[in-house]
Amino acid sequence: MDGKMTDREDGGMGGRAAETVKGAPAVRADGAPTDPADAAGTAGTADLLKVENLKMYFDTPDGLVKAVDGVSFTLNLGETLGVVGESGSGKSVTAMSIMGLVPMPPGKIHGGNVLFKGQSLITISEKDFQKIRGNNIAMIFQDPLSSLNPVYRVGKQVGEGLTIHKGYKKKQAFARAIELLDLVGIPNAAERARDYPHQFSGGMRQRAMIAMALACDPEILIADEPTTALDVTIQAQILELMQSLQKRTGSAIIMITHDLGVVADMADRILVMYAGRPVEYGTTDEIFYQPLHPYTWGLMRSIPKRTAGDKEPLTPIKGNPPSLINLPAGCAFSPRCPYAQPRCHEEGPVLVKLAGAHASACHFSDDPAFLENSPLHDDEDADTVAPGAVAGMAAPEGADTRRGHSDG
Amino acid sequence: MADTLLKLSHLHKDFAVNRSLLQGHRKRFVSAVSDVSFTIERGQTMGLVGESGSGKSTIGRCIIRLINPTSGTIDFDGHDVASLKGRDLFNFRREAQIVFQDPQASLNPRMTIGEVVSEPLVIHRTGTKAERIAAVKGLLETVGLNPEHINRYPHEFSGGQRQRIGIARALALKPKLIVCDEPVSALDVSIQAQVLNLLDSLQAELGLTYLFIAHDLGVVQHISDTVAVMYLGTIVETAPVNLLYSAPRHPYTQSLLSAIPVPDPKVQRTRSRIILRGEVPSPIDPPSGCRFSTRCPVAQARCSQERPDLHEIEPGHFCACHFPSPTTP
């Protein structure tokens, strides 16, 4: 716990606050280097949230959809978990399952557990869940326009949780809502709180959503693609805001996104998902600098590199993500995996811890020769390679990657 | 320059907005594109980046004449296409085509992909039916689809495959220019890379010229030879791709580049971001002087009075700022 927090401190905020771009005075959302997060973090018990082998299936006319199939992770105060994957990988359903927002039926929990401070959220009664939802665990949705009620004033919606969970009177809640809107950087908060959602711009709506989620000081904030619908300059504002608020309140964040840049920025740990299953789990540095799973490699290779001067072809992952109704036998990634062996098509790998908490669901992740295929993704600035990364892992060209690893 | 395919000069596009009846008949205009000039060389790719509402797509649509520019000229291969009409306009459509952002919405769900891809050929009365079918099969193969799927419907394909169909349709008439309007932003990263590679290889094979419109600066850097950055209907900076990314001079470009999270945690932790205050102003009532002046971290009194011209600050590097940053950040 302590180790994680220190990681976060020197890496996360301190380094970035150190300098600004020459010639352009930077306007920063996070100003003072305050450290209440540490105090809050160490005070909390271990395992604020523990998800164990969660399976959420949907019964559809076409067959059983295994939307989430065996996801496990733990989350502590002050930590940020990034959940990465392509569309249909089960990221959002995982979040909705934790929040108890999946309609059942058609959804059905086929096993596993979600423990919030040791209490199961799977077996809990809806009445008790309502005391936690929005109060201890809050969620920011991707599309703020469809998540806000168009016929209520923004201030009323932001303060609603306070009247429900904290016993605020309507006027008190509205006054607090104004403070919260001010906190998330909405100008003229007192006036804007009386506006309706359609009068807000996209970025402001997302800020209002964050204010609403923060109203009851939740311990866990689940953000489902919070910046996907926003422009980059507004995205930067929102990410900065979430980081500074996390520092202030010490809450834990689950950040669901398909953007590896966003998790590189925000996350302490990363869970990579594919076809409803976790394929790799580790610290941000482990995932980016010592990735173990071929799917993670494929994702890294697919990103257009910002330093690439000449047009060199990208190395995409061949094929398309599988249908969740009819998953391939064995490893779900095997039909697209350039290194797949006969074993991969028959036997499904399980997520195995390899180094510390770094886990990978691949039969060959413990094979050093196999890991030679890793893109290592920073061939151009090898000096920044994480200490401990295997030296000499040159990024193979597209042709090489198809050859497999029969030598290993 | 001898081999310029497309030259835009002082292009303007205003859209009329009708206020409600009670507010009278005073017409107001959204100035979506204001005084935009640039050139694209044959066989090159120009990347056009900017946030939503900056006028990127409007420029693309003006160029292929899906909408008519309010004023300005569009010089395409030596002819002004801004004022083309009738038969001339019809013929121009063979020369310039577009690939749209949303492959779901831009394919007719009731047409087979064979019909979709051959429609331009039918409209332009190219070849016999048998020749057209052969051509469509060839096109499908070119974009990496199975020619046997010619009788399938768009819903039977995935997002990436649908985008390939859109590209095949754009290629059908063998155009010189393809406007790619956010062609990969609806796709997952792994699929996005497939489509980008396809666009790259088609350009090399067929000598195509692209205007590549996107908001993802990483994608634009990958595919472009030159890049133009737009803000609120104007081009604020344009330069060869490496120069623009390594040494941006306009404060908006600098903040835009700094705002993108880099998928490399160590780099990301040591970077500093320039967080812009506020949001993009309404194009109905754009700020006077420099349109970026209301959010610019280095704005001075002159900026809100006098509009800066796009001028060459070093060979090939144009910047519309009174106070371009002197050194590289």
Side-chain angles (χ1 to χ4, degrees):
Chain A
M1 183 71 217
D2 283 332
K4 284 166 208 151
M5 290 308 300
T6 20
D7 253 345
R8 176 84 201 153
E9 284 317 299
D10 54 22
M13 306 299 292
R16 214 178 300 127
E19 57 177 78
T20 51
V21 172
K22 266 183 240 160
V27 183
R28 308 189 59 84
D30 67 319
T34 48
D35 295 335
D38 279 33
T42 42
T45 51
D47 298 348
L48 175 68
L49 182 75
K50 188 167 189 178
V51 176
E52 288 172 335
N53 200 21
L54 181 68
K55 292 182 181 184
M56 172 65 82
Y57 296 173
F58 290 87
D59 220 346
T60 69
D62 296 327
L64 193 65
V65 174
K66 299 179 176 179
V68 175
D69 198 12
V71 168
S72 305
F73 61 84
T74 58
L75 186 71
N76 290 302
L77 277 173
E79 268 188 344
T80 301
L81 173 76
V83 182
V84 189
E86 298 181 86
S87 33
S89 62
K91 312 181 295 282
S92 294
V93 179
T94 304
M96 303 286 265
S97 307
I98 294 168
M99 288 292 286
L101 291 175
V102 176
M104 297 194 248
K108 189 167 191 301
I109 302 249
H110 268 250
N113 210 341
V114 179
L115 296 166
F116 173 70
K117 291 180 175 169
Q119 182 185 19
S120 170
L121 297 182
I122 301 295
T123 54
I124 195 171
S125 72
E126 178 58 27
K127 203 178 158 197
D128 287 336
F129 208 150
Q130 280 178 2
K131 289 179 188 153
I132 293 173
R133 194 187 291 132
N135 190 15
N136 302 95
I137 309 178
M139 187 153 175
I140 303 170
F141 295 91
Q142 174 174 359
D143 181 0
L145 187 55
S146 58
S147 316
L148 290 165
N149 190 326
V151 299
Y152 290 113
R153 296 182 196 279
V154 171
K156 182 183 163 71
Q157 298 186 57
V158 170
E160 193 182 12
L162 292 165
T163 56
I164 293 168
H165 295 295
K166 305 285 188 196
Y168 278 53
K169 297 272 183 290
K170 271 187 192 166
K171 273 193 178 162
Q172 289 174 314
F174 201 84
R176 177 68 185 142
I178 292 172
E179 287 174 29
L180 286 161
L181 289 172
D182 191 48
L183 181 75
V184 296
I186 291 195
N188 284 333
E191 278 171 41
R192 300 311 299 257
R194 302 191 61 78
D195 281 353
Y196 291 92
H198 74 268
Q199 291 166 289
F200 275 38
S201 69
M204 282 166 63
R205 282 182 208 131
Q206 199 54 284
R207 282 163 194 271
M209 287 289 296
I210 293 175
M212 191 187 300
L214 291 173
C216 298
D217 287 326
E219 284 127 309
I220 302 172
L221 193 59
I222 302 178
D224 188 1
E225 306 258 14
T227 56
T228 305
L230 305 176
D231 282 318
V232 274
T233 60
I234 309 297
Q235 165 172 297
Q237 292 175 356
I238 298 288
L239 295 181
E240 200 89 14
L241 171 69
M242 289 181 69
Q243 283 173 333
S244 70
L245 290 172
Q246 183 179 35
K247 270 187 100 62
R248 194 179 308 183
T249 61
S251 58
I253 296 178
I254 299 178
M255 184 79 171
I256 295 168
T257 178
H258 65 273
D259 187 334
L260 286 164
V262 170
V263 285
D265 192 4
M266 297 282 292
D268 302 305
R269 286 161 186 285
I270 294 174
L271 176 70
V272 184
M273 292 188 66
Y274 184 78
R277 294 174 188 166
V279 294
E280 188 163 357
Y281 177 65
T283 64
T284 302
D285 281 5
E286 282 166 348
I287 298 289
F288 275 91
Y289 301 120
Q290 297 153 51
L292 298 173
H293 197 284
Y295 176 65
T296 315
W297 301 345
L299 279 185
M300 304 267 172
R301 286 201 183 101
S302 299
I303 314 170
K305 278 201 201 101
R306 298 198 56 210
T307 44
D310 304 317
K311 281 191 188 182
E312 46 184 89
L314 301 165
T315 315
I317 305 175
K318 61 178 178 177
N320 291 299
S323 151
L324 293 174
I325 293 171
N326 198 3
L327 280 179
C331 172
F333 185 57
S334 60
R336 302 178 73 192
C337 181
Y339 315 107
Q341 299 289 305
R343 182 182 167 194
C344 302
H345 299 295
E346 289 152 16
E347 189 187 334
V350 288
L351 197 68
V352 182
K353 279 188 189 177
L354 290 151
H358 192 181
S360 168
C362 175
H363 293 307
F364 303 101
S365 283
D366 54 353
D367 180 351
F370 178 65
L371 297 180
E372 299 273 315
N373 295 312
S374 161
L376 238 205
H377 120 109
D378 34 15
D379 34 340
E380 69 277 351
D381 49 355
D383 50 332
T384 64
V385 170
V390 186
M393 276 200 258
E397 289 306 309
D400 283 340
T401 63
R402 311 275 149 159
R403 237 191 275 140
H405 61 289
S406 43
D407 51 323
Chain B
M1 273 172 264
D3 217 15
T4 298
L5 180 68
L6 183 74
K7 185 170 192 288
L8 265 60
S9 306
H10 307 290
L11 189 77
H12 287 262
K13 177 65 192 175
D14 297 336
F15 291 104
V17 274
N18 291 322
R19 307 291 286 182
S20 73
L21 284 173
L22 296 175
Q23 283 171 311
H25 295 290
R26 193 166 52 100
K27 269 226 165 150
R28 307 229 293 168
F29 290 94
V30 174
S31 163
V33 173
S34 172
D35 197 16
V36 162
S37 307
F38 62 77
T39 57
I40 310 180
E41 305 300 309
R42 198 182 301 272
Q44 301 260 299
T45 301
M46 163 88 127
L48 200 54
V49 293
E51 299 181 81
S52 40
S54 60
K56 313 182 290 288
S57 295
T58 306
I59 289 182
R61 280 158 201 241
C62 282
I63 289 171
I64 62 158
R65 290 292 306 280
L66 284 181
I67 51 178
N68 297 325
T70 308
S71 66
T73 59
I74 302 167
D75 192 319
F76 182 88
D77 221 1
H79 308 283
D80 181 16
V81 298
S83 53
L84 285 184
K85 279 183 190 148
R87 178 55 51 182
D88 293 335
L89 180 59
F90 180 81
N91 288 334
F92 167 66
R93 301 252 186 256
R94 291 166 165 272
E95 309 282 324
Q97 286 288 327
I98 186 165
V99 175
F100 292 99
Q101 169 172 8
D102 185 352
Q104 172 87 51
S106 57
L107 299 176
N108 188 334
R110 297 185 177 207
M111 287 165 77
T112 65
I113 65 161
E115 287 165 349
V116 167
V117 176
S118 66
E119 198 178 20
L121 299 172
V122 174
I123 290 170
H124 286 269
R125 306 217 174 107
T126 310
T128 62
K129 196 170 182 192
E131 282 167 3
R132 287 198 293 263
I133 290 173
V136 168
K137 285 187 172 169
L139 284 164
L140 292 179
E141 207 155 356
T142 311
V143 298
L145 293 170
N146 187 343
E148 287 168 21
H149 294 170
I150 188 164
N151 288 322
R152 294 199 179 177
Y153 286 88
H155 74 265
E156 297 175 74
F157 294 90
S158 68
Q161 288 172 323
R162 280 191 211 128
Q163 200 55 285
R164 288 171 192 268
I165 297 166
I167 293 169
R169 174 175 60 185
L171 290 174
L173 291 168
K174 303 192 174 70
K176 292 177 183 148
L177 174 78
I178 295 186
V179 174
C180 305
D181 191 356
E182 304 260 15
V184 295
S185 51
L187 307 176
D188 278 320
V189 253
S190 68
I191 309 298
Q192 173 179 306
Q194 295 174 357
V195 173
L196 289 176
N197 279 354
L198 172 67
L199 288 171
D200 264 342
S201 63
L202 288 175
Q203 182 168 44
E205 258 170 62
L206 308 172
L208 294 168
T209 306
Y210 292 141
L211 175 67
F212 194 94
I213 300 167
H215 65 271
D216 183 330
L217 284 125
V219 169
V220 167
Q221 181 180 30
H222 174 79
I223 201 148
S224 305
D225 299 300
T226 53
V227 177
V229 181
M230 289 197 72
Y231 183 81
L232 208 56
T234 60
I235 288 184
V236 296
E237 187 164 10
T238 170
V241 61
N242 292 338
L243 201 55
L244 188 103
Y245 280 78
S246 62
R249 304 281 294 273
H250 195 284
Y252 177 66
T253 314
Q254 291 174 347
S255 59
L256 196 63
L257 287 172
S258 84
I260 311 158
V262 178
D264 185 336
K266 291 204 163 120
V267 174
Q268 186 64 26
R269 280 171 205 149
T270 54
R271 286 171 84 221
S272 65
R273 282 187 289 211
I274 308 167
I275 303 280
L276 291 177
R277 285 158 298 182
E279 296 176 11
V280 183
S282 160
I284 296 180
D285 195 12
S288 62
C290 173
R291 290 188 167 191
F292 184 55
S293 58
T294 52
R295 296 173 81 199
C296 182
V298 296
Q300 307 202 5
R302 182 180 166 197
C303 300
S304 57
Q305 291 152 13
E306 192 184 326
R307 183 165 169 175
D309 288 326
L310 194 66
H311 58 281
E312 194 161 16
I313 49 175
E314 57 187 302
H317 193 162
F318 296 81
C319 179
C321 181
H322 293 306
F323 308 101
S325 106
T327 49
T328 61

